[in-house]
Amino acid sequence: MKDLVGKTAFITGAASGIGLGVATRLAQAGVKVMMCDIERAALDKAVADLKRTNADVEAVVADVSLKPELEAAAQATLARYGEVHIVHNNAGVAGGGVYGAWADAGWSWTIGVNLMAVVWGVEIFGPLIERHGQGGHIVNTASIAGLVSGSGNAYNVTKYGVVALSEGLRVELAPRGIGVSVLCPGFIRTQIIDSVRNLPERFAGALPAAPAPAQSAIATWLGNVRERVASGIDPLYVGELVREGIEQDWPYIFTDNEFEPAIEARFGAIKAGFDRVRGREPPH
Ligand SMILES: NC(=O)c1ccc[n+]([C@@H]2O[C@H](COP(=O)([O-])OP(=O)(O)OC[C@H]3O[C@@H](n4cnc5c(N)ncnc54)[C@H](O)[C@@H]3O)[C@@H](O)[C@H]2O)c1
């Protein structure tokens, strides 16, 4: 989408972090933005702050892991702005423990917010973009954890799912005038580590009991991730990259090169798997 001025965007998880960074940069580029989030107070503050800069933004509260709430948010977007061109399925939670600390509620919460809400965002908003015939763009937030998995947990599973969904939709939606990008951030300075602040009641039990000894491997790993996020990249910079990715129709939007060697190593391991069977004749 080359010309963003006057277009309308719908962004989930827009009250904080990456979603707020993208909302800010798109609004500054002349895009009208419907900002959606589950956290009402943070959303109201974010929208009020942006309005003070003359941005044309509005708030809609929704738990995106509930399809009817996402549908209602889409209707609110149409009621306010008439049409929608850009959708950023971004809301996400760092849910689901590592092996040995799994809970069904944790898997359901993480899959609901990180994956099903993206599926529904495409299902609900795709036809709304198609119907005005001006084209549009969908950005789905995955993660570097959608391309290389450090541990077998729910978060990584959902992020691989978002990458798969986005790669497939990019091919499917291009003839319909809709570009699709997948955003795969590294460490960004946001509140993701404190995702549990927005744990819906129906997922009570999502959190396993805290690891007892403070020096346990899980606690050490979590502390390390918390530190990396706290000193991570500015979400406003991510917002700039996303704006550029929409304008240039980038398939993958990365934020930095830290994990490029790890992803190359994964490709190398996959290639080695193919090499092992090269030249063998499969029985029919
Ligand atoms: N911060 C990082 O280092 C990092 C790295 C890779 C990917 N990501 C991804 O970026 C996305 C944004 O996260 P962030 O880092 O900005 O964290 P954040 O916690 O600062 O922002 C996430 C937003 O999503 C909202 N949200 C949570 N559950 C919701 C629900 N059920 N319905 C609607 N909104 C909900 C939160 O209220 C919050 O405003 C997530 O998908 C996350 O997985 C973040």
Side-chain angles (χ1 to χ4, degrees), residues 75 78 82-84 125-134 178:
Q75 287 312 314
L78 292 182
E83 51 191 19
V84 57
F125 283 91
L128 302 184
I129 298 175
E130 280 191 74
R131 79 179 189 192
H132 55 58
Q134 302 161 41
I178 303 175

Side-chain angles (χ1 to χ4, degrees), residues 16 18 37 62-64 90 92 142 155 159 186 188 190-191 197-198:
S16 170
I18 292 171
D37 207 282
D63 175 349
V64 297
N90 167 76
Y155 185 82
K159 296 305 184 179
I188 314 299
T190 72
Q191 302 189 73
R197 72 193 187 281
N198 294 313

Side-chain angles (χ1 to χ4, degrees), residues 12-19 36-39 42 62-65 89-94 109 113-114 141-145 155 159 183-195 197-198 200 229:
T12 66
S16 170
I18 292 171
C36 173
D37 207 282
I38 195 173
E39 200 177 336
D63 175 349
V64 297
S65 67
N89 296 303
N90 167 76
V93 292
W109 176 43
V113 181
N114 293 9
T141 299
S143 169
I144 284 293
Y155 185 82
K159 296 305 184 179
L183 170 64
C184 297
F187 286 115
I188 314 299
R189 202 167 58 244
T190 72
Q191 302 189 73
I192 191 76
I193 296 301
D194 297 312
S195 298
R197 72 193 187 281
N198 294 313
V229 168

